[in-house]
Amino acid sequence: MIQSPATPAAPALPLDTALATGPDSAPAGSAPSVAHGPGAEPTRVLARFEGWARNTPQAPAVIDGPRIWTYQDLDAAAALVAADLADRVRPGDLVGVCLDRSTALVVTAVALARLGAVYLPLGPRPGERRIQAVTEDLDVACLIGDPDLLPEEHRGGQHLPLPLPTEGVNAPAVAVAAVADSVHGTRRAPEGALYAVLTSGSTGRPKAVAVAESSLSVALDWYRSETGLAPGDRQSLLIGVAFDPHLLELWAALTSGAALVPAPDDTRWDSRVLTDWWRDTALTHAVAATPTVEPLLDRPWPQDLKLRHLVVGGDRMRRRPGADVTATVHNAYGPAEATVVTTTHTMRGTDPEAGDPTPPPIGTALPGVTLVVTDEEGRPVARGQEGELRVGGHCLALGYLDPELTARRFTAPAPDAELPAVERLYRTGDRVRMNTDGSLDFLGRLDDQVKISGVRIEPAEVEAAFEQDPRVRAAVVTVLRDSSGHGRLVAHVRPTDGADPAPGDLLDAVRSWLPEQAVPAAVRIVDGFPLDANGKVDRPALAAQAQAPQSPLAAASGDPVEAAAGTGTDAVAAVTAAERLVLTTVRDLLGRPDTGLGDHFTDAGGTSVVAARLLATVERETGVRLRAPELLRSTDLRAFAALLDQRLTARPEGA
């Protein structure tokens, strides 16, 4: 689900006034807001890989550190895994894949495609309760992963050892296909599905959407044509495995005769480490989340990269790349329900608009895609008017594994919409405007979903996770956004009578239910919730109560910071300039004014995206570049600040 709003199909945003007056906006009463991408015909995905394996068997397929796996090697490894799974996995079976970005993941994807099984990526460390909910709902044949990292019921079940690679980047120590007979759901993937991915669900349980090989093939054909990916090129395998854009990376390379390069984990924590990795691996093509790329656009672009094409998405892009950016940047949008990519806007350093500080559009329709901007009844509005984006064409997923949900979200066009060749439209819930050239500006969400670090989140799902705890009577989740539009979740929890839960304990409890991006940055214990005039919870009032009071730059410039320690026993006031900078930056990024120097970064709610922003702020304000591992290894924020003080002291005078 690549998306470039402040949403990935995603997540309620304020109206962006810069977008509301775009130069290409059409006046009301103009042509209807309907646009069709170029024609497209589905092709075969697995067959293309097998063709390269036959015709270029010695070409590199995966470059995993010093080890190079040729197409012949990869083909043979996948054949062995498929043979071992054949008695356990049948065509159409859902198989949960609990592996990280690695050669083992690539081998597994090819093996499951060979078996006709449905690849269900869950990430290397899926939350135990989240997976339990998935397996209670879905008919999952087995989970593939390191048995020590699988949920408890699968650690103790039947294990079939698999000959997957156990060396290289993010490789599992050992790999098995694990079966838990005690957990068995009933929903199966629809016929013809190649893969399924989880999206956030308002019921508190994740939804699974299934995609056919033909739909993915159209996106892959566009990617190859647009970027020129071909033998001799190197494609990143960078996106988190629980999110569908990694399938674009993986299969784009394998259907182009190019080589995949799995990314080490620290590339997602530090944008400079990311560009170093691009350079060291001589990458020519990459896909990355918008929040990861944004810090790169705020400083001079590295001029010694071989990177030719960079596809970014998952959040609103807030500025155009500058004239010094040597790669072609594709601002991409697309919900998982429309197969990763639906629209793109291409930008080059030679464009007249290069460096423009206003957000670019999310672009025009890909081949085989139909875009319709509609009113509440599903009728197209005039170009230049706002409405809900509905998507049709070859890109559409088969649907959710819940038929009732599919019927609600995948609907026939309105009778007077004049779309004779379109049978289904997916209601994205995104508010957009179509310009005269058919491009789209993203304006926000129509529903309660929010976008956090590029991932679509249903606040109701997060609330339901808290309410599983017997200490919680009710929970309401709000989103706070900083001046640049980056969001963070805050949970407002009303305890049950007599309970006095610690916020940290509640956060620990929900981690097993939720993906990383859906775990709130803060928990507020409240006696009750304010109500609006209609008797509903006043979410804006709750969000206002949780708003952080001070910017990090003010504190870094010398303003005193009091009560630096929050509620812990290690609390003391910030003393050094480094402590003030670190503490106030973390408080602002997390929206947690009670964060103290005695708190560990991740325990306080820090994520990879927040870490990247913290490191960028520290470098901008002090000129000292610290690495993500130094942040993560620090016992607490005070120790991290002490490291910064050491580096500042060690710098020669005038440096």
Side-chain angles (χ1 to χ4, degrees):
M1 59 178 118
I2 289 187
Q3 290 201 354
S4 181
T7 131
L13 306 173
L15 176 65
D16 189 314
T17 55
L19 288 177
T21 56
D24 295 324
S25 296
S30 64
S33 294
V34 178
H36 304 279
E41 288 296 330
T43 56
R44 299 296 303 277
V45 174
L46 180 63
R48 277 187 175 271
F49 161 75
E50 292 175 335
W52 289 112
R54 287 192 305 271
N55 298 326
T56 59
Q58 298 308 313
V62 181
I63 300 175
D64 191 353
R67 171 71 192 271
I68 295 178
W69 292 72
T70 66
Y71 272 81
Q72 184 179 62
D73 295 335
L74 186 60
D75 184 64
L80 289 175
V81 173
D84 283 355
L85 287 172
D87 291 338
R88 174 70 249 181
V89 175
R90 305 296 183 187
D93 281 353
L94 285 159
V95 176
V97 179
C98 303
L99 298 169
D100 209 341
R101 301 154 297 183
S102 61
T103 303
L105 178 77
V106 181
V107 171
T108 299
V110 175
L112 294 179
R114 257 203 194 128
L115 289 169
V118 182
Y119 174 92
L120 176 63
L122 301 172
R125 293 175 178 81
E128 192 151 322
R129 291 179 176 175
R130 182 175 174 83
I131 294 305
Q132 183 178 6
V134 169
T135 53
E136 286 175 351
D137 292 343
L138 308 182
D139 184 6
V140 177
C142 61
L143 299 183
I144 293 178
D146 185 330
D148 289 339
L149 301 179
L150 294 178
E152 182 177 357
E153 291 186 339
H154 287 82
R155 287 198 296 269
Q158 305 173 35
H159 288 176
L160 171 66
L162 295 177
L164 287 170
T166 55
E167 296 181 354
V169 173
N170 303 321
V174 64
V176 301
V179 180
D181 293 331
S182 59
V183 181
H184 193 70
T186 58
R187 290 176 180 160
R188 294 180 57 82
E191 185 176 355
L194 174 68
Y195 71 87
V197 290
L198 301 182
T199 64
S200 188
S202 59
T203 63
R205 303 175 82 89
K207 303 175 295 188
V209 60
V211 177
E213 180 182 23
S214 58
S215 297
L216 180 62
S217 76
V218 173
L220 297 174
D221 290 347
W222 163 80
Y223 189 93
R224 287 192 299 271
S225 174
E226 183 71 15
T227 69
L229 184 65
D233 287 330
R234 298 185 177 192
Q235 168 70 53
S236 67
L237 185 58
L238 172 66
I239 299 296
V241 175
F243 310 113
D244 60 328
H246 88 275
L247 285 147
L248 182 71
E249 296 182 287
L250 190 154
W251 286 109
L254 298 186
T255 57
S256 303
L260 273 170
V261 186
D265 191 59
D266 59 355
T267 56
R268 70 190 184 102
W269 291 86
D270 189 327
S271 59
R272 287 193 183 272
V273 172
L274 177 64
T275 53
D276 288 346
W277 176 68
W278 286 349
R279 178 187 302 107
D280 295 343
T281 56
L283 275 183
T284 59
H285 294 68
V287 177
T290 306
T292 303
V293 173
E294 278 184 327
L296 303 179
L297 304 180
D298 292 332
R299 56 176 182 260
W301 186 260
Q303 296 299 298
D304 54 352
L305 301 178
K306 292 188 177 181
L307 191 70
R308 302 199 309 271
H309 289 272
L310 173 61
V311 178
V312 299
D315 207 336
R316 188 195 304 274
M317 199 171 190
R318 292 166 177 82
R319 53 162 293 183
R320 296 171 185 262
D324 62 336
V325 176
T326 54
T328 298
V329 180
H330 307 267
N331 187 31
Y333 161 91
E337 292 86 347
T339 315
V340 189
V341 186
T342 305
T343 67
T344 60
H345 178 72
T346 300
M347 296 168 287
R348 299 177 177 85
T350 55
D351 294 341
E353 305 86 0
D356 193 315
T358 60
I362 58 175
T364 54
L366 264 64
V369 173
T370 292
L371 306 174
V372 188
V373 184
T374 74
D375 60 18
E376 293 181 357
E377 283 70 43
R379 296 186 299 264
V381 301
R383 294 201 180 192
Q385 292 184 344
E386 299 178 12
E388 180 182 8
L389 176 60
R390 304 190 188 211
V391 178
H394 289 304
C395 64
L396 284 195
L398 295 169
Y400 299 104
L401 272 60
D402 179 347
E404 293 182 3
L405 182 58
T406 300
R408 291 198 300 271
R409 300 296 291 185
F410 293 82
T411 61
D416 54 353
E418 298 184 2
L419 295 168
V422 177
E423 297 180 355
R424 295 189 305 155
L425 291 172
Y426 169 66
R427 299 188 60 179
T428 66
D430 291 329
R431 183 162 55 91
V432 301
R433 179 185 53 245
M434 184 175 289
N435 301 312
T436 54
D437 61 356
S439 67
L440 296 177
D441 291 332
F442 181 85
L443 304 177
R445 286 291 300 177
L446 294 169
D447 58 19
D448 292 332
Q449 287 184 337
V450 295
K451 189 76 136 321
I452 302 296
S453 300
V455 178
R456 182 174 50 179
I457 304 293
E458 291 265 13
E461 179 180 14
V462 185
E463 292 163 358
F466 277 96
E467 290 168 0
Q468 298 284 343
D469 194 311
R471 297 170 294 179
V472 175
R473 171 174 291 180
V476 175
V477 172
T478 62
V479 61
L480 299 183
R481 297 195 181 275
D482 60 24
S483 58
S484 61
H486 297 299
R488 53 190 180 258
L489 296 178
V490 177
H492 311 263
V493 173
R494 182 183 178 189
T496 55
D497 292 341
D500 186 23
D505 292 343
L506 294 176
L507 280 175
D508 288 342
V510 300
R511 291 183 195 279
S512 64
W513 284 101
L514 302 169
E516 175 190 6
Q517 292 82 355
V519 177
V523 173
R524 297 181 65 246
I525 305 298
V526 298
D527 295 328
F529 306 119
L531 304 180
D532 60 20
N534 296 320
K536 297 182 179 179
V537 174
D538 190 339
R539 291 174 184 266
L542 274 176
Q545 294 171 10
Q547 190 68 45
Q550 184 180 14
S551 76
L553 297 184
S557 65
D559 291 345
V561 179
E562 299 295 336
T567 57
T569 57
D570 297 331
V572 297
V575 175
T576 71
E579 288 176 344
R580 286 196 295 270
L581 175 62
V582 169
L583 183 62
T584 53
T585 301
V586 171
R587 284 178 171 181
D588 184 69
L589 291 173
L590 297 179
R592 295 187 63 179
D594 61 340
T595 301
L597 289 169
D599 293 328
H600 186 270
F601 174 73
T602 55
D603 291 343
T607 65
S608 58
V609 172
V610 174
R613 293 174 185 151
L614 170 61
L615 296 170
T617 298
V618 167
E619 183 173 5
R620 183 176 66 249
E621 296 300 318
T622 67
V624 174
R625 181 188 175 192
L626 297 172
R627 298 293 188 109
E630 294 173 310
L631 171 62
L632 301 178
R633 286 197 299 262
S634 298
T635 54
D636 52 28
L637 294 177
R638 183 183 295 103
F640 180 66
L643 180 61
L644 174 58
D645 268 328
Q646 290 173 9
R647 300 287 172 84
L648 286 168
T649 303
R651 294 173 65 189
E653 186 175 350

